[in-house]
Amino acid sequence: MNVVVCVKQIPDPAVPGELESDHTLKREGKLILDESDSYGVEMALQLVDKAGGGEVTLISMAPNSEVSGLRTALAMGAAKAILVSDGALAGADALTTAKVLAKCVERAGGIDLVLTATESTDGYTGTIPAQVAELLGWPSLTFAKQVDIDGGVAKIQRQTEAGYDVVAANLPAVVSVTAGVVEPRYPSFKGIMAAKSKPVDEVTAHDLGLSDEAIAPNQTITTVAAAPAREAGEKIEDDGTGFEKVVEFLDGLKVI
Amino acid sequence: MKIWVYAEAEGDAPTTATLELVTKARELGTVEAVYVGTNAAAVAPELGAYGVAKVFAVDAGESLAGVMGAAAIASLVEAEAPDLILFAQTYDGRDAIARLSVKLDRTVLTNGMTLAVDGDTVTVGTAIFGGNTLVDTKFGGEKPCLAAIRPKSFVAEPGGAAAAEVVSVGTPDAGRGAEAKVLETHVEEREGPKLEEATIVVSGGRGIGAAENYGPLVDELAKLLGGASGASRAIVDAGWVPYSKQVGQTGKTVKPKLYVALGISGATQHMVGMKGSDNILAINKDAEAPIFSVADLGIVGDVHKVVPKLIEALKARG
């Protein structure tokens, strides 16, 4: 079974974010693999292993030929990657990104399953999985908290407001996985060394057959403003009676 | 401006998130709804009471609601010409807006918290960087504009009070998208109110130490206060609790009267989902944790010591 995993390389979320003057996200310094995507990578590796054959291909769109996040996922065990790095895609909206990723799936060829996170940690538009599926003309199984592949059918537990639904579709299909669906492995030293020589196929939007018109953004940021700050209240050290202070606070709010 | 709302329901009642969108849409123009389900006749009266004039009813069969809803809307857009289509930022709402954006080749704006219409221009406001920065973005290109709005962004209020006409549009052709079929539905028992609608929310983070502590600390305190239990992304990622409990940027927005953060440091990812709470109580042993910068009362202490004593004290009050 051949699986594609969509992965995003993002600025370290622990560092406070900033915008460039053109309102795109500042991407200085090393980008890292979005932790949300590590679940998809792990899931893909496990599914290929279980199927007894095939490989995992990563696809990613990032500026400046960025590969540091891809190398992390390659070190986990993915076989190869397609990287779309193209200045024309700076500030691309979710639909444009989905068009690029869908073209990458076609470029990879012979793919049975595409795995994604439910949304990225930085942009979090949250529409890419179903957009990629619609572009490919495939079914999408979204918000999976468990995934089983058997006999050419993908069956998932789909998160719902009330619990979960069991949803199934024939392959090829797109599946988006929620965080925590599997325990991502840490890359081994051997994996890290091997990742350095794994192939990364770097392409532009034109290489994928996308016209300038197809990738033109159709939204404009009009204003950026600081949100009103919230004042900090009282902060006390617990000396064993902190709970009394809490009871008093709850009493004051009339919630107990 | 003609506005469509992708309506969702629980049983025969429209969801609060749906009614929030309808209420806002009513301010901005005329409102019609698209509803996926076979009980549209039962759902329509309440939608009408909030100002919906017409409900297009879609039969999804066994297929996923969002996928079929998108196919139905795509087939109606040319004849009906809505200017703006609103979706709640929910599981099905996200499936629907995503599929529709491809069918119509339109950009999407999601995670909206404000919505403004000026003439023909539609602007959606979102919060980034943990809610510290507000960004307004306007749509370009042809109508309809497609926007997904986070639940709790607007207040639902009845108005309009017209009876909503139900127009059945049958089952659309969704191609291979329709192959995704719902085989079983599992409802997990929930004690107390829903997370997004609770007046008190108690959330746990990494500081609770282990998955097995969530019940006795977080659930127990939530239950005693008559609230709902939530979680930070860290413990959802760790697999301790399901994604549906996640409060934050990539989870739910809550605006309760009281938000209690137990062992949550307050990453920007989390703050954006709870900063709008009326009152915030935080208990964390790290005195430098960012959560204290938004807390009305902060207890610098170990949740494993403070919370059991608090639970005992609340039980003693009866």
Side-chain angles (χ1 to χ4, degrees), chain A residues 36 93 121 131 166 219 225 230, chain B residues 101 107 134 183 233 249 277:
Chain A
S36 307
D93 65 6
T121 302
Q131 284 174 320
V166 176
Q219 48 177 264
R230 200 186 161 105
Chain B
S101 80
T107 195
L134 304 176
L183 306 180
R233 176 170 169 182
Q249 175 178 287
S277 305

Side-chain angles (χ1 to χ4, degrees), chain A:
Chain A
M1 188 171 66
N2 292 313
V3 183
V4 154
V5 187
C6 300
V7 297
K8 191 166 184 185
Q9 305 175 86
I10 63 169
D12 188 341
V15 178
E18 274 184 76
L19 293 181
E20 300 278 7
S21 56
D22 67 352
H23 301 324
T24 57
L25 187 65
K26 207 168 250 188
R27 290 171 185 273
E28 281 170 354
K30 201 176 127 185
L31 300 182
I32 61 169
L33 176 69
D34 188 338
E35 200 189 327
S36 307
D37 292 326
S38 62
Y39 302 98
V41 173
E42 179 62 41
M43 176 64 75
L45 293 169
Q46 289 185 14
L47 290 173
V48 165
D49 195 38
K50 204 173 158 199
E55 62 182 14
V56 176
T57 302
L58 309 169
I59 62 178
S60 189
M61 187 174 109
N64 309 324
S65 305
E66 181 65 52
V67 293
S68 50
L70 282 177
R71 292 291 174 206
T72 303
L74 289 168
M76 288 172 72
K80 59 189 198 303
I82 300 173
L83 171 66
V84 188
S85 200
D86 187 335
L89 292 167
D93 65 6
L95 179 57
T96 299
T97 306
K99 286 176 183 174
V100 167
L101 295 174
K103 288 288 183 188
C104 288
V105 174
E106 286 167 4
R107 184 178 178 92
I111 298 303
D112 303 295
L113 177 67
V114 173
L115 290 176
T116 70
T118 55
E119 67 261 308
S120 65
T121 302
D122 58 348
Y124 71 108
T125 307
T127 53
I128 295 279
Q131 284 174 320
V132 168
E134 180 71 27
L135 285 159
L136 292 169
W138 293 2
S140 50
L141 303 172
T142 45
F143 308 103
K145 51 183 206 162
Q146 189 187 307
V147 182
D148 292 299
I149 309 284
D150 192 19
V153 175
K155 192 195 257 190
I156 69 154
Q157 287 184 5
R158 181 178 188 263
Q159 181 75 52
T160 62
E161 291 300 330
Y164 67 91
D165 288 348
V166 176
V167 188
N170 295 322
L171 299 179
V174 176
V175 173
S176 72
V177 296
T178 61
V181 66
V182 282
E183 179 79 33
R185 71 193 68 185
Y186 287 103
S188 64
F189 179 71
K190 203 173 139 207
I192 293 167
M193 296 312 286
K196 295 185 183 191
S197 56
K198 286 181 176 173
V200 176
D201 173 21
E202 189 178 328
V203 296
T204 63
H206 283 178
D207 294 338
L208 294 170
L210 288 166
S211 65
D212 291 341
E213 198 196 356
I215 60 172
N218 247 327
Q219 48 177 264
T220 317
I221 291 180
T222 52
T223 61
V224 175
R230 200 186 161 105
E231 299 274 311
E234 193 183 0
K235 184 164 87 173
I236 58 163
E237 289 275 346
D238 177 41
D239 58 0
T241 61
F243 72 97
E244 289 172 0
K245 201 77 188 159
V246 174
V247 171
E248 217 174 277
F249 177 74
L250 299 176
D251 238 346
L253 293 175
K254 304 200 188 317
V255 295
I256 53 172

